[in-house]
Structures are given as C-alpha cells and as structure tokens.
Amino acid sequence: MKFITIKTWVLGAAVLLTASGCTSELDRYNQEKLGGPENFYADFIAVVNPMKSMQRGLQSDYQLYPNLSADMFSGMFSTATQFNGGKNNMTYYMMDGWNNRIIARQQDIFNYSIIIDNAAKNNYPGIDFTATFAVKKILKVITAARVSDNHGPVVYSKYETPNANGVTDFDSQQDAYNYFINDLTSAISDLEKIKNTSSTQNVEDKSTLQKADLVYQGNIAQWEKLANSLKLRFAMRMSYADPAKSKQYAEEAFASPAGLITDNADNALISVGQSELSFIIYSWGDCLIGAPLMAYMNGYNDPRLPAYAIPATDGSVQGKYIGIRQGIDLLNGKTTYGGFSQPQAKSANGDYFSATDGKLKLFTAAEAWFLKAEASLRGYAGAGDAETNYVTGVQQSFGEWGKSANVATYLANTTATEAPYVDPKNAANNINAGDTQLSTVTIAWNNTDSTERKLERIITQKWLALYPNGPEAWAEQRRTGYPILFKIRQNDSGGLISTDAMIRRIPFTTDTKNSLFNYSQALQYLGGADTGGTKLWWDKK
C-alpha cells in the first residue's frame, strides 16, 4: 500500500477513505450520509459525522495495533495464539503487516480532519467552529502522539504541506512534542473563549460539538481539562530528555485555569459502541491477561483484580488469576494456554470491553494524580505533596473500578510485594522468589525511602491504574523503567533487540519506506538504526 498524500485528498471523502483502507469506518460514514445532500448538510452533519469517525478511528484495527504490540509490551496483556508459527512481535520478530496499522490509522484520522476543514469552508461558510476545531486539534494530537511513542519521528506539523516534489517531511520527536504542547495550549485558549460566551452566542458551534462528541457530549470545560491533562502527560514524558522544558510545561499545566482531570466524573472515555476487544478476547480467544499484571495484583491482593480479569478455566489453575508470560514457547498454543485468565474491564460505570457500549480509555483522574506525584518528587512548582498525590491517585483508581471500600486497607499495606510467577505448563518460564525480574516495592507510602524508590512506587501504581491503556503503560515503562517486567525467553529479533534492555520502539514498516513520507529524514531524526532496539528521544534514563 502506498500512503496517500495531500495532493490526492481533493478527490472527495469516499475516495479518500477507500485509499486509506479504513473499510469499517467508510461503511459507517456512508451509512450516516444516506438520505441525500440536503440531509447530509443539515444540522452540520458534514462536520459531525467525520468528527465521530476521528474518535472511533482510535480503536480501528485494534488487534493489529495496539493489542499485538503496545498492549503486549506493556505487560498487561498476552496471547496463547501462535501467530506466524509462534514467531512474531511477542518474540521480537517484528511483523511488518501488523505494525503498518499505526501510521495507517493516523492517516485515516488526519484525513477526516481535512474533510471537516473542507466541509466547514464549502458547506457552512461564515460559521465559526472554534470549539469544534479545538477538539479536532486535541484528537489529532492524541493520534500523532501514539504514532510518535511507537516509532519516534512523526509526520505532524507538515502533514498538509508536502514539498514541491510531493514528499512530506517528518518532525523529530523532540519537535513533535513541543508542537503537541503548543497545540494543546492553543486548543485550551480557544475552548476557554467559547466556554465564556453567552448561551445565545456560537450556537452553531456548540450544537455541532454536542452532536459530534463521543467523549463529553459537548462539555467544553471537560475538553479543556483533558487538553491540559494531556499537556501534563507530555511534559512529564520529557522529564529525562529535556528537564527544563518538562518543568516549564508542567508548571504551566498546574497554573492553568483549565484545571486537570482530578475526579472520575471527568474521565475521558470514548463511547465506541462495540469494543473491538469484545470479539478479540471473547469470540476469537486471541487475547489473554499478562503474567506481570497478575503477578503484581496477586502479590498485592489487589481488590481490583476481579474487575480486570476472569479466573482461569484450565484444570491446572482453575479458579486462579494467572496470566501468560510474553515471548515464550506456547507449546500447543490455545490447547495449552487458552484456559488461562481472560482480560475484562468492569468499571464502576460500565464494561469498557462491552460488545454494545464499549469505552476506549484516553485519560483518567488517577493518571493526573500520579503525574502530580512524580512532579512533586522533581520539585515542580504547583505539584503539591507527593504522598497526598500518590494516595489520591490510588483512591481515584479504586473509585474508577468500584472498589473504594477497600482502598484504605490496600494503602496501609507495608509488606506485600509482587508475587512469583509459576507456569504449570512449563517450569522453565517460572519467575521464582528472589529473581531480579520481580519487584520488591511495597504499596504504603514511606517518606524515608529514596527518591528512586518513591518513583518506582508511584509508577507501579500508575501502571496498575492505567489498565487497560496498554500504549500509555508501555510508554511510561520505557521512560522510567517501572514497573519491573518479565523478560521474554524466546528472542527472534536476530540480535536487533536486546532481551535484557527489552523492546524500545516499533520499526517503520515497508509501507512507510515506500510512501511519499520522507523516510530518509525520519532515519536522520531517529539517530540510530530503524530497529526495535533503538531508543526514542524521550527514552533517556
């Protein structure tokens, strides 16, 4: 597949979406347009429908990305399926045909953004879509950031402005992160302007956003909080690579009148209808729970465990919560390991993996409090007290999963640590007590601990709270080294990825190399070989 470029986008929505390969979203888009141009352009539907598709597109092709990559690398998920004969991403044999969906999905979402721009200009001239376009900008940042956190360099600021020869340039990851934060700051400013208008002003814009918004149903104040919380996330991601900018941006977020997502009522969850994980897990049986996640939760006697996983059905471990270690010989695949624990996500406000009312998790209150806790350790102004932030982060996570009644006992535990891992199918996969692949960090806050020990405690609990957001969990694990995860046993990378250092990024795929994206420039920005062993810009610890 050759990636489309800006010069082909003038051909129209149907051609665009077909070229980008987003079949399911194209079908939905066309279905929503049925009824003729009069219906399509009424009530700003020409903007509303592609805005919905931008949001839904974040879970399209979910199995190929992120489930068979970032989800697995995060330690939260695993599989019993012997894809490609058992030689695949999980054993560090990079699957080009899987990993190409990362940039393909970005193109789909960015193409919808251009459709919206054209619709606003051509079909609704004179209408001020300031708030709607601010939300669109936030969605583009979310999309491009996950591309960058996988590959490194990303086509972002120049996506719509190719060179004279038709080739489109990349941004370095460092530049991209600064663009992300600047765009989020701009979006906050635009949203603040519309939020403060009277009910009789910007009526069309507010109505359009209300119809198009699958996260907050048009609540502008909540979108401001999300944009500012994302700004804090990106600021902390830069903490090792650019400490000065990290501090500056984080302190801006703390001081912003937009506020942060500090209560579960403001959690950012996309209503996707059918969660793709509903059939990946329960119909296909291709996704099971990760061994590290269960080892931590079993060791901590974590009350959230029944919300995250289903007890095993296999006779050797029936009724227990047990995951599969990544990168092992799966023996006979599902026959051997298919009865281990399946993931679930039964929150206090519904089933994230529902086949009818699923949710895609973008950002929650717990993450904001853990970001504040880390910022406190680093001495950032406005971050507050590290212990208070840590405790509140755990409390918010327990609230998200309906386990608030158990949080005080959990936070008081001074002795529990990650449990050893025992594989009843193959003892060679065991992680026994005393192994350095097992963390010794406890739950209760201890002011006498070293800063590094406090950081491990914060990030370990943050990782548990991020579930089931595998991409964010993997990014933070690479940035900080926490939580400590199990290493793979079968390494099929041909020496390109270190078993001990673990996978650091996903290589660019053949589609990108053969596209009109400036791949040679991306290699220069990457600063190393285009392999899974090369660290990203922010991966400096």
Side-chain angles (χ1 to χ4, degrees):
M1 178 181 83
K2 279 231 180 196
F3 287 168
I4 57 175
T5 69
I6 186 69
K7 291 185 178 181
T8 66
W9 292 343
V10 297
L11 297 178
V15 174
L16 281 170
L17 299 177
T18 302
S20 65
C22 188
T23 305
S24 61
E25 281 302 316
L26 173 61
D27 291 343
R28 192 196 299 264
Y29 187 87
N30 286 335
Q31 288 167 8
E32 290 172 340
K33 186 174 177 177
L34 292 177
E38 295 81 6
N39 288 340
F40 185 60
Y41 298 133
D43 295 326
F44 307 104
I45 295 300
V47 170
V48 168
N49 285 352
M51 276 287 288
K52 289 181 178 178
S53 292
M54 286 183 74
Q55 295 161 83
R56 293 180 183 130
L58 287 167
Q59 80 143 1
S60 294
D61 282 345
Y62 196 93
Q63 182 170 40
L64 298 184
Y65 179 79
N67 192 241
L68 290 174
S69 52
D71 277 356
M72 303 291 172
F73 303 147
S74 74
M76 290 182 171
F77 298 90
S78 192
T79 184
T81 305
Q82 295 172 300
F83 297 105
N84 196 43
K87 184 178 178 181
N88 51 58
N89 280 357
M90 276 64 76
T91 65
Y92 294 172
Y93 181 84
M94 295 289 97
M95 300 291 288
D96 199 82
W98 294 359
N99 299 330
N100 65 11
R101 308 322 295 163
I102 301 168
I103 288 180
R105 289 288 73 84
Q106 179 199 6
Q107 289 185 292
D108 292 333
I109 291 169
F110 275 42
N111 288 350
Y112 284 122
S113 174
I114 294 169
I115 291 170
I116 292 167
D117 290 341
N118 289 335
K121 177 182 177 180
N122 299 323
N123 302 320
Y124 311 115
I127 300 298
D128 181 357
F129 288 109
T130 296
T132 302
F133 276 35
V135 169
K136 179 166 72 73
K137 184 179 289 185
I138 296 167
L139 293 171
K140 289 177 67 178
V141 169
I142 292 170
T143 302
R146 73 177 189 173
V147 174
S148 186
D149 287 345
N150 282 280
H151 292 313
V154 58
V155 176
Y156 180 69
S157 70
K158 303 174 182 68
Y159 192 87
E160 298 181 33
T161 54
N163 301 320
N165 61 359
V167 173
T168 305
D169 288 340
F170 279 79
D171 294 314
S172 69
Q173 186 172 58
Q174 180 176 9
D175 286 344
Y177 259 70
N178 284 289
Y179 286 132
F180 297 159
I181 288 174
N182 288 339
D183 283 349
L184 290 170
T185 303
S186 172
I188 291 167
S189 178
D190 287 344
L191 289 167
E192 182 72 12
K193 180 173 68 175
I194 303 303
K195 183 182 73 174
N196 291 330
T197 60
S198 70
S199 59
T200 59
Q201 292 178 287
N202 300 94
V203 174
E204 299 91 344
D205 187 21
K206 294 172 183 175
S207 175
T208 299
L209 183 57
Q210 187 174 31
K211 293 182 177 72
D213 185 0
L214 302 179
V215 182
Y216 291 129
Q217 296 75 52
N219 188 311
I220 292 174
Q222 288 179 308
W223 275 104
E224 280 191 77
K225 289 181 181 180
L226 173 57
N228 199 41
S229 298
L230 289 168
K231 181 175 178 176
L232 179 59
R233 174 193 282 180
F234 297 144
M236 299 311 297
R237 189 87 88 242
M238 301 165 67
S239 59
Y240 292 103
D242 192 340
K245 282 285 184 68
S246 172
K247 184 175 187 292
Q248 174 194 333
Y249 291 145
E251 290 178 350
E252 287 176 4
F254 295 139
S256 172
L260 298 167
I261 296 175
T262 55
D263 186 270
N264 287 320
D266 292 323
N267 287 352
L269 308 168
I270 301 178
S271 297
V272 293
Q274 181 176 25
S275 167
E276 292 192 13
L277 278 167
S278 67
F279 48 84
I280 295 168
I281 298 170
Y282 309 121
S283 297
W284 301 348
D286 283 341
C287 178
L288 287 95
I289 207 75
L293 182 60
M294 294 296 94
Y296 276 102
M297 299 190 88
N298 280 319
Y300 290 155
N301 193 24
D302 196 314
R304 293 167 292 186
L305 188 48
Y308 284 20
I310 298 170
T313 58
D314 183 273
S316 63
V317 286
Q318 189 167 10
K320 297 180 179 179
Y321 293 100
I322 182 170
I324 301 174
R325 187 174 172 182
Q326 185 194 134
I328 63 171
D329 180 354
L330 290 168
L331 303 175
N332 294 315
K334 291 180 184 178
T335 302
T336 305
Y337 288 101
F340 279 35
S341 291
Q342 292 180 315
Q344 61 178 357
K346 297 291 182 70
S347 82
N349 294 307
D351 181 2
Y352 293 168
F353 298 164
S354 169
T356 57
D357 188 26
K359 310 289 184 185
L360 184 67
K361 185 169 174 174
L362 297 180
F363 202 104
T364 62
E367 181 181 351
W369 286 103
F370 289 123
L371 288 168
K372 290 180 67 176
E374 181 183 353
S376 301
L377 287 186
R378 298 184 184 280
Y380 293 2
D385 175 69
E387 179 179 3
T388 300
N389 293 336
Y390 170 79
V391 167
T392 308
V394 176
Q395 290 171 338
Q396 288 294 321
S397 179
F398 273 55
E400 178 187 355
W401 299 100
K403 306 298 180 183
S404 294
N406 307 107
V407 71
T409 300
Y410 182 84
L411 282 166
N413 193 316
T414 61
T415 58
T417 59
E418 182 183 11
Y421 176 69
V422 177
D423 183 347
K425 306 297 182 178
N426 185 354
N429 297 327
N430 291 356
I431 307 288
N432 298 313
D435 195 305
T436 57
Q437 295 177 82
L438 287 176
S439 173
T440 60
V441 76
T442 51
I443 300 168
W445 188 260
N446 184 350
N447 273 318
T448 65
D449 279 340
S450 67
T451 298
E452 191 64 26
R453 187 68 162 178
K454 290 175 182 175
L455 179 66
E456 181 180 2
R457 179 170 289 115
I458 289 167
I459 301 299
T460 299
Q461 289 298 326
K462 178 182 180 181
W463 177 78
L464 290 169
L466 281 169
Y467 178 85
N469 188 347
E472 185 60 22
W474 183 42
E476 284 296 85
Q477 199 281 331
R478 285 176 288 160
R479 178 180 71 91
T480 64
Y482 304 122
I484 296 170
L485 299 178
F486 303 159
K487 297 176 175 65
I488 65 170
R489 296 196 64 245
Q490 179 180 324
N491 189 327
D492 292 318
S493 72
L496 298 177
I497 304 172
S498 165
T499 298
D500 287 335
M502 308 178 79
I503 185 167
R504 311 312 297 180
R505 63 180 288 272
I506 295 174
F508 289 108
T509 65
T510 301
D511 281 347
T512 300
K513 296 173 185 178
N514 293 338
S515 74
L516 290 176
F517 286 172
N518 193 344
Y519 173 66
S520 61
Q521 182 194 47
L523 284 181
Q524 293 177 349
Y525 285 148
L526 185 60
D530 186 10
T531 68
T534 296
K535 288 188 173 185
L536 301 182
W537 165 73
W538 49 249
D539 188 1
K540 289 288 195 294
K541 187 175 181 183

